[in-house]
Amino acid sequence: ETGVTQTPRHLVMGMTNKKSLKCEQHLGHNAMYWYKQSAKKPLELMFVYNFKEQTENNSVPSRFSPECPNSSHLFLHLHTLQPEDSALYLCASSPLAGGPQETQYFGPGTRLLVL
Amino acid sequence: ILNVEQSPQSLHVQEGDSTNFTCSFPSSNFYALHWYRWETAKSPEALFVMTLNGDEKKKGRISATLNTKEGYSYLYIKGSQPEDSATYLCALGSARQLTFGSGTQLTVLP
């Protein structure tokens, strides 16, 4: 176990639904990340939060809305998604979002299917 | 956009065989190279962080080397076991971001 949990593990939603993904880390870290992995593609960084403040948004469409109420919790709110948004969404945390040498600790991901 | 390439894409080996695979990355402005191991339905797990040219790291039967001048890292597994079956990811560390390769999927046949 890496100390990072994600719920739900699987999610099926329609294009008009609103749903949220949840991530929680029990490591005392101050940085949290959302990644997306589409089929046959590398992990792509979506958002970075450092001390609850968003520090990176990798040109993610506004139908994905992150929220970081505290350093231990991270949400990804989903609204009017498209079928091409179907993917594995991974959360990660690290002590500080500052160094290229810093190890990130990943959750197991949420497998999302948009119909 | 940084380009991190991993080869081969997938690999099947027999139990007991040793194997290795490659991660290639741009050699300019190098900071750090990460290796992760990712078993199906589990979380990616950090193996190594490497920063210096010529670095060599070892964890049990798994080791890695780094050549920052030519832009590659090798991951070696000695005496592969079925439990080594996983996808091995490398990632280039830069300011506030990891850029991942697509991974090498290793299957060790009993």
Side-chain angles (χ1 to χ4, degrees), chain A residues 1-2 4 9 33 35 37 40-45 48 55-56 58 88 90 97-109, chain B residues 4 9 31-34 36 38 41-51 89 92-103:
Chain A
E1 292 299 325
T2 61
V4 181
R9 294 292 307 273
Y33 310 77
Y35 286 88
Q37 190 189 39
K40 308 285 186 191
K41 288 188 175 180
L43 283 170
E44 288 175 64
L45 181 66
V48 181
T55 54
E56 296 284 337
N58 249 8
L88 181 69
L90 283 163
Q101 304 174 39
E102 197 172 63
T103 295
Q104 292 181 19
Y105 296 81
F106 285 85
Chain B
V4 179
Q9 194 172 16
Y31 294 103
L33 194 283
H34 299 247
Y36 283 83
W38 193 3
K42 294 191 176 179
S43 308
E45 174 197 347
L47 286 173
F48 307 113
V49 181
M50 308 175 80
T51 56
L89 300 173
L92 194 63
S94 59
R96 300 187 301 203
Q97 186 162 303
L98 293 181
T99 302
F100 283 85
S102 298

Side-chain angles (χ1 to χ4, degrees), chain A residues 71-87:
Chain A
S71 292
S72 299
H73 293 87
L74 184 64
F75 295 89
L76 189 63
H77 303 299
L78 314 172
H79 178 45
T80 58
L81 294 194
Q82 304 297 310
E84 58 265 29
D85 297 322
S86 300

